Amino acid sequence: MMTDYDLIIRPKRHAFDIDLKEIWNYRDLLSMFVKRDVITIYKQTVLGPVWFFLQPIMTTVVYIVIFGNIAKISTDGVPMILFYLAGVVMWNYFSEAFNTTAKTFNENANIFGKVYFPRLIMPLSKVVSGLIKFGIQITFFLLVYAYFLISGNQTVQPNYTLLLLPVYILIMAGLGLGSGIIFTSLTTKYRDLTFLLTFGIQLLMYATPVIYPLSTIAEGSRMRMLILANPLTPLVEGFKYAFLGQGYFSWAGLLYSALFTGILLMTGVVIFHRTERNFIDTV
Amino acid sequence: MAKTIIEIENLSKIYRLGEVGTGTLSHDLERWWKMNVLGQEDPYAKVGTINDRTQKAVKGEHVAALRDINLEVKEGEVLGIIGKNGAGKSTLLKILSRVTSPTTGTVKVKGRMASLLEVGTGFHPEMTGRENIYMNGTIMGMRKWEIDKKLDEIVEFAGVAKYLDTPVKRYSSGMTVRLGFAIAAHLEPEILIVDEVLAVGDAEFQKKAVGKMQDVSHEQGRTVLFVSHNMSAVKSLCQRGAVLSNGQLIYINTANSAIDQYINSSDKIMNYVDGFIDLKYAREKLYFAKVFKRLRILDKTNSPCEIFPLLSYMRIEVELENTENYIDADYCVAILTMDGQWMTSSATWMYSKEKKKAYDRVILEIPSVKFSPGRYRIYLSMTYHCAGAYIDRIESAANFYIESCDPFKSGREFTSDCGFVIPEGEVCLL
């Protein structure tokens, strides 16, 4: 009797056997997860979504005081608030995407243990809900930015690379997602890594020109090489350059970031896929 | 002939016992080296022996939770899967619902399959009933428009219309379960996999749930796989039954004969040491202490016995150990049918007798056994002050058989068809 089966469960799937159609079929679930994240995150708080604004403001104020006033790190003549806010908003999106996706398996073991859906939906939804938060924060940045533009501040000069903004955001999301899913795949078996996460992200921030401009690092120095090797550098610097006119922009850097992200994402998806099959036995 | 809708071939699943942690990296490396570089077989797959939980687990040993399962399920069939705890039922369900993947073998499925390992997966307490219907529905693989269409039906079935826009955290647990089941019941998959969800909710709701499942299978011709300890639910729902034992499929036939097979296979060969049945391996779960040591069932001549004629004398003696720390604990000895109905029980808290010392024995004496013929099991428990926490508990310590006899010398025996117990009095005509 010949029957064509709709589903075949077998021990091993091919590494690249990723069912994009299935993920597409579950798009409603993705939007429900996003909705859940957004409506539940600030439940039982008095200020609610205002926290979306307060977080970057508070961080920015701290940076202004510590790095700007006490450590007196240059901002290339850009008003401190804009400089730090730009860095913080951009960085926050990455760290949010990384942090939340890096917990995919451990935090959802409960759901994953009970029902099947394409597991990638979960980290994807985190990246999308992070995007909403980012959208609110960048709106806030734009308001502050508009104030400086209107008040005729000469140091703030936007330019044509502003058109690249969506590309920056996309690559940023990819980097966060890619590193997050690799991380979560590794932590299902070796929990030790979770302890490194917070520390690692912090360290990574200092290796990215968030609180300092790339221009303060001497040309040709080892340090500069290191920072340029960080795929986040072209994004954060490019973002600042686009809006503020001060910063570093190069097509090569952007291309490097994009390629890096592509490879990272592919590796991530393959590892994630391998892990999702059996993680429930080890978690 | 009906089409085969699920085909399971040589399905096995191997788990690693002991702690996963120290040593796994080296094992992983060894495994990787042998399999991918030397091209040998998985060095750890071979260790998988029969999953016999009474043997002590060796740390790092691999055990087969499922072994070479072959099974075909036809369209429209309702298959009950029964077996003791640890027999592999849940593992099988997990593989079928794609929560985990098998170590070897394949499962081929035709049609949309939904599994109910739990009701209300993904419910968020802060979200309203309505939002959670969408949340849970999409998790189970429904599209948003499908839920839109069925929303009213779901709400009506769950009986939560009034609270639809109230956060689920304000719901009673019964309402939450009802809502969860209602969503699942309206999934309309071709194959539904159900794991003991009927154990929750009140009696009325259970009836509704069983009814819904019957509708799904009988009227709509869908296939249902039902895993349960509740033999009467299996009996009333399923046509076919499969018995799992130690990870192997040992029997598959009609539901009724599978249940009989299960009941007979579950009376384990009782392990006599010095005339006592050893209780060391009888526990399904560990509580605070191992108090019940061994037990014997005696007849009127004071010799151990497993078969008692109706209305004969019976004495159950349980020896205790490690009781020093639990002086005023309560003990209960109960007699249950093999499918878990409580026939009777006797417990120390029923009598107001002061307890002063650490006791050595619990004895239940029955001058005349009045249960209808059949097999029964003995349940033991020790609790703090009549209720609440168990100190020790054994669900099935031993079992015995009541033989039918002719108590009234009329040439007719009192059998299980005549009722559960033989009456104290008798009918008379005036």
Side-chain angles (χ1 to χ4, degrees):
Chain A
M1 183 168 64
M2 274 298 292
T3 20
D4 41 326
Y5 292 98
D6 297 318
L7 167 71
I8 297 179
I9 301 170
R10 54 165 59 107
K12 233 177 198 158
R13 280 181 288 172
H14 197 269
F16 290 96
D17 179 17
I18 288 138
D19 199 345
L20 289 177
K21 204 179 132 217
E22 193 185 26
I23 294 179
W24 177 245
N25 283 340
Y26 272 89
R27 61 190 181 276
D28 286 343
L29 179 60
L30 194 143
S31 70
M32 276 313 297
F33 277 138
V34 172
K35 197 172 162 193
R36 184 178 77 172
D37 282 346
V38 173
I39 56 182
T40 57
I41 195 162
Y42 291 118
K43 279 268 166 90
Q44 296 237 336
T45 59
V46 179
L47 295 177
V50 176
W51 282 108
F52 282 131
F53 299 102
L54 281 181
Q55 272 172 340
I57 294 174
M58 289 191 308
T59 322
T60 305
V61 169
V62 170
Y63 287 175
I64 289 175
V65 172
I66 296 178
F67 300 117
N69 290 333
I70 299 177
K72 299 216 185 321
I73 295 173
S74 147
T75 59
D76 276 353
V78 175
M80 268 193 239
I81 178 157
L82 275 184
F83 181 85
Y84 290 121
L85 200 56
V88 165
V89 165
M90 217 37 194
W91 175 258
N92 269 358
Y93 181 46
F94 169 77
S95 80
E96 169 99 6
F98 188 7
N99 247 317
T100 48
T101 51
K103 293 175 189 147
T104 307
F105 283 122
N106 286 340
E107 279 195 348
N108 296 296
N110 239 337
I111 297 185
F112 286 3
K114 296 295 181 195
V115 65
Y116 172 82
F117 53 85
R119 305 304 191 212
L120 262 182
I121 291 281
M122 200 49 119
L124 279 175
S125 77
K126 294 291 179 199
V127 173
V128 177
S129 50
L131 200 59
I132 291 174
K133 204 166 153 184
F134 174 75
I136 296 173
Q137 295 189 348
I138 203 169
T139 314
F140 176 67
F141 169 78
L142 288 175
L143 289 176
V144 179
Y145 182 67
Y147 167 78
F148 275 94
L149 273 187
I150 293 162
S151 65
N153 193 313
Q154 292 303 311
T155 53
V156 181
Q157 285 161 346
N159 54 57
Y160 73 97
T161 60
L162 258 182
L163 295 174
L164 284 172
L165 185 62
V167 179
Y168 292 151
I169 296 170
L170 201 69
I171 299 178
M172 208 67 163
L175 275 175
L177 178 67
S179 22
I181 57 179
I182 291 178
F183 207 87
T184 188
S185 305
L186 297 176
T187 47
T188 57
K189 213 160 181 191
Y190 308 108
R191 281 284 172 95
D192 319 43
L193 289 172
T194 34
F195 300 107
L196 290 176
L197 183 64
T198 330
F199 180 67
I201 290 186
Q202 216 166 46
L203 205 65
L204 194 57
M205 189 183 96
Y206 292 115
T208 311
V210 174
I211 50 161
Y212 55 87
L214 187 65
S215 58
T216 53
I217 315 289
E219 200 81 49
S221 70
R222 256 224 192 117
M223 197 59 156
R224 194 179 169 100
M225 299 286 283
L226 194 77
I227 291 169
L228 280 175
N230 176 355
L232 288 160
T233 302
L235 306 176
V236 175
E237 280 288 310
F239 182 84
K240 286 179 182 165
Y241 178 75
F243 279 103
L244 311 173
Q246 292 295 331
Y248 161 88
F249 174 79
S250 87
W251 288 103
L254 189 61
L255 192 68
Y256 166 71
S257 277
L259 273 177
F260 190 99
T261 307
I263 293 168
L264 188 77
L265 262 181
M266 274 201 302
T267 322
V269 169
V270 170
I271 296 180
F272 188 84
H273 225 59
R274 282 183 67 100
T275 311
E276 70 170 29
R277 288 185 291 118
N278 276 322
F279 102 97
I280 208 73
D281 307 335
T282 47
V283 77
Chain B
M1 206 181 90
K3 278 187 296 177
T4 300
I5 199 163
I6 304 177
E7 201 179 328
I8 301 175
E9 283 169 353
N10 301 325
L11 196 72
S12 297
K13 173 84 186 172
I14 290 164
Y15 281 111
R16 188 165 184 281
L17 295 183
E19 251 173 273
V20 179
T22 337
T24 50
L25 189 58
S26 65
H27 273 181
D28 285 354
L29 289 175
E30 183 190 342
R31 196 171 174 167
W32 177 83
W33 174 256
K34 289 207 168 146
M35 285 172 78
N36 295 357
V37 181
L38 303 181
Q40 295 174 354
E41 269 182 56
D42 185 345
Y44 290 99
K46 287 184 202 159
V47 196
T49 44
I50 289 176
N51 182 11
D52 184 355
R53 296 193 311 158
T54 56
Q55 301 298 314
K56 204 175 164 199
V58 180
K59 188 171 172 262
E61 191 188 9
H62 288 66
V63 143
L66 283 181
R67 253 179 112 73
D68 293 329
I69 305 281
N70 286 288
L71 181 67
E72 273 189 14
V73 184
K74 303 259 185 260
E75 193 172 19
E77 186 170 77
V78 184
L79 177 71
I81 298 171
I82 48 187
K84 276 186 288 185
N85 284 339
K89 294 176 311 239
S90 316
T91 309
L92 182 60
L93 281 193
K94 275 188 187 162
I95 291 173
L96 287 177
S97 36
R98 291 200 282 166
V99 162
T100 184
S101 66
T103 312
T104 60
T106 53
V107 181
K108 294 172 185 163
V109 181
K110 242 177 106 67
R112 181 160 131 173
M113 184 165 69
S115 63
L116 261 184
L117 299 193
E118 174 190 71
V119 291
T121 310
F123 270 13
H124 195 292
E126 299 282 359
M127 298 202 298
T128 67
R130 187 194 305 273
E131 284 162 347
N132 272 313
I133 291 176
Y134 282 94
M135 185 76 243
N136 182 244
T138 47
I139 278 192
M140 311 279 262
M142 277 165 117
R143 298 294 314 278
K144 197 166 170 294
W145 58 265
E146 287 178 273
I147 306 174
D148 287 336
K149 253 185 12 199
K150 287 179 195 144
L151 188 67
D152 293 335
E153 262 180 81
I154 293 173
V155 172
E156 197 198 336
F157 186 85
V160 294
K162 239 166 114 183
Y163 311 100
L164 197 54
D165 293 305
T166 311
V168 162
K169 66 175 173 183
R170 309 245 178 270
Y171 282 29
S172 72
S173 54
M175 274 165 69
T176 317
V177 171
R178 283 209 303 274
L179 185 62
F181 188 86
I183 303 164
H186 290 83
L187 271 174
E188 302 198 348
E190 276 101 29
I191 305 160
L192 184 66
I193 300 173
V194 188
D195 184 15
E196 299 217 80
V197 277
L198 301 177
V200 290
D202 52 27
E204 190 201 350
F205 180 71
Q206 282 193 15
K207 232 166 115 187
K208 216 167 158 183
V210 171
K212 182 73 194 176
M213 279 180 48
Q214 268 164 346
D215 281 1
V216 164
S217 61
H218 296 170
E219 281 162 35
Q220 303 168 21
R222 288 173 214 283
T223 312
V224 180
L225 292 191
F226 180 53
V227 171
S228 182
H229 282 300
N230 185 342
M231 294 300 146
S232 57
V234 172
K235 220 173 230 175
S236 65
L237 269 175
C238 307
Q239 301 129 22
R240 283 219 300 164
V243 184
L244 283 180
S245 172
N246 293 331
Q248 286 165 309
L249 184 69
I250 55 166
Y251 191 80
I252 178 155
N253 206 324
T254 61
N256 283 338
S257 59
I259 289 170
D260 290 343
Q261 174 70 28
Y262 167 66
I263 286 171
N264 291 330
S265 76
S266 61
D267 57 73
K268 34 192 153 181
I269 303 136
M270 285 182 284
N271 198 4
Y272 281 96
V273 181
D274 305 329
F276 282 89
I277 298 159
D278 192 13
L279 296 177
K280 208 179 287 168
Y281 300 122
R283 288 171 182 81
E284 302 214 317
K285 220 174 174 183
L286 287 181
Y287 294 92
F288 284 99
K290 286 187 175 178
V291 171
F292 300 112
K293 188 183 173 205
R294 50 189 197 167
L295 155 159
R296 58 182 178 174
I297 315 170
L298 302 172
D299 63 9
K300 56 177 179 278
T301 61
N302 252 343
S303 48
C305 181
E306 284 177 36
I307 299 167
F308 294 84
L310 198 62
L311 300 178
S312 63
Y313 170 90
M314 173 195 266
R315 181 181 161 96
I316 299 167
E317 281 188 22
V318 189
E319 279 194 13
L320 308 171
E321 58 185 352
N322 308 325
T323 50
E324 313 81 51
N325 300 326
Y326 307 104
I327 298 217
D328 60 348
D330 280 297
Y331 298 87
C332 171
V333 179
I335 295 172
L336 278 67
T337 63
M338 293 312 285
D339 55 8
Q341 294 264 12
W342 282 56
M343 290 303 292
T344 188
S345 63
S346 187
T348 51
W349 51 263
M350 296 174 180
Y351 315 99
S352 56
K353 211 169 166 186
E354 208 181 330
K355 292 181 280 278
K356 291 194 199 83
K357 56 166 196 137
Y359 293 91
D360 301 324
R361 265 155 203 255
V362 189
I363 293 164
L364 176 65
E365 204 177 44
I366 304 172
S368 160
V369 190
K370 296 202 163 79
F371 311 137
S372 69
R375 193 166 274 282
Y376 296 91
R377 63 181 159 103
I378 296 168
Y379 164 102
L380 303 171
S381 75
M382 180 191 189
T383 51
Y384 287 113
H385 313 297
C386 81
Y390 290 107
I391 300 164
D392 194 8
R393 182 162 82 142
I394 299 180
E395 295 270 354
S396 178
N399 51 62
F400 59 86
Y401 192 79
I402 305 282
E403 265 185 334
S404 68
C405 66
D406 179 6
F408 311 115
K409 309 277 180 278
S410 64
R412 290 195 169 204
E413 295 190 344
F414 185 90
T415 63
S416 56
D417 295 331
C418 306
F420 287 120
V421 285
I422 194 160
E424 199 83 48
E426 57 186 74
V427 284
C428 59
L429 299 166
L430 286 176

